[in-house]
């Protein structure tokens, strides 16, 4: 561990960061999980001017990439009352090493500017959109751990995105 005072310790912050990353990878291999991540392509997507939905060619995504995570919790929500009746939306809570998130091209700047909000994550047979990402730990302003909160994208919201067709139940299969 490096020292907190002005004297140099045995290890530098970079060495400590590498040791933490190795420890997080080992933890992930033993008890972690894997999610699938699609990055929204701002350059290839065509969206409607008003409704922010796919238009003439639709929204484009890159991926999916498997992302090892330390922990993923799928929270099955109860019915939530809306203006058109009850609607069920599940939540996904993820804890991941920032180094794993960087492997798919997400940078520290992307987190601070919310460039991940249109990305999609698949887990447990469902598709989720990211609603929040928080930094849980840093060493000398370098992110180490992140927390991700995502909400389920319902099948009726996916009709224009052919890339996610596998998450639309077949006709007559019913929805929970």
């Amino acid at each position: 561990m490096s020292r907190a005072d002005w004297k140099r310790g045995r290890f530098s912050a970079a060495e400590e960061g590498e040791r933490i990353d190795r420890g997080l990878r080992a933890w992930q291999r033993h008890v972690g999980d894997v999610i699938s991540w699609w990055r929204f392509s701002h350059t290839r997507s065509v969206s409607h001017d008003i409704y922010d939905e796919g238009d003439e060619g639709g929204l484009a995504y890159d991926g999916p990439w498997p992302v090892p995570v330390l922990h993923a919790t799928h929270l099955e929500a109860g019915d939530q009352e809306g203006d058109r009746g009850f609607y069920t939306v599940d939540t996904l809570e993820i804890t991941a090493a920032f180094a794993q998130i960087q492997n798919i091209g997400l940078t520290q700047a992307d987190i601070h500017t919310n460039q991940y909000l249109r990305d999609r994550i698949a887990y447990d047979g469902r598709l989720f959109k990211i609603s929040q990402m928080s930094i849980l730990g840093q060493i000398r302003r370098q992110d180490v751990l992140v927390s991700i909160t995502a909400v389920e994208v319902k099948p009726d919201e996916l009709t224009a995105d052919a890339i996610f067709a596998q998450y639309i139940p077949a006709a007559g299969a019913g929805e929970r």
Side-chain angles (χ1 to χ4, degrees):
M1 201 88 182
S2 67
R3 297 173 58 124
D5 59 9
W6 59 271
K7 297 176 186 174
R8 289 205 39 96
R10 181 174 173 194
F11 303 111
S12 68
E15 287 173 298
E16 287 182 33
E18 289 172 16
R19 287 173 180 249
I20 289 170
D21 282 338
R22 274 197 310 263
L24 291 174
R25 281 193 309 273
W27 176 266
Q28 192 281 325
R29 276 193 298 275
H30 291 290
V31 298
D33 213 334
V34 177
I35 60 173
S36 297
W37 193 305
W38 284 267
R39 294 289 321 266
F40 178 74
S41 175
H42 293 277
T43 56
R44 293 185 299 121
S45 293
V46 180
S47 19
H48 192 276
D49 293 337
I50 298 172
Y51 300 110
D52 197 28
E53 295 175 350
D55 194 24
E56 295 182 31
L59 304 178
Y61 291 86
D62 298 318
W65 293 287
V67 177
V69 298
L70 300 169
H71 190 73
T73 303
H74 178 183
L75 304 167
E76 304 237 356
D79 291 335
Q80 299 173 357
E81 189 172 353
D83 58 349
R84 291 191 244 166
F86 290 108
Y87 198 67
T88 303
V89 179
D90 292 355
T91 304
L92 181 65
E93 298 286 338
I94 299 168
T95 304
F98 182 68
Q100 297 294 340
I101 303 298
Q102 281 182 309
N103 288 339
I104 61 166
L106 200 69
T107 66
Q108 194 173 23
D110 289 338
I111 292 175
H112 295 296
T113 58
N114 298 331
Q115 290 297 312
Y116 56 83
L117 287 175
R118 296 185 85 181
D119 291 358
R120 299 292 183 256
I121 292 173
Y123 181 76
D124 202 15
R126 300 228 171 84
L127 190 69
F128 297 86
K129 60 184 171 184
I130 301 172
S131 59
Q132 181 180 14
M133 191 178 302
S134 304
I135 308 301
L136 296 180
Q138 291 184 330
I139 293 180
R140 292 215 174 158
R141 296 190 183 141
Q142 295 300 312
D143 299 341
V144 176
L145 281 175
V146 293
S147 169
I148 301 167
T149 302
V151 294
E152 183 181 10
V153 179
K154 298 305 265 185
D156 60 332
E157 300 173 47
L158 296 173
T159 55
D161 297 327
I163 191 170
F164 302 121
Q166 68 193 38
Y167 299 101
I168 301 173
E175 192 178 334
R176 59 174 183 92

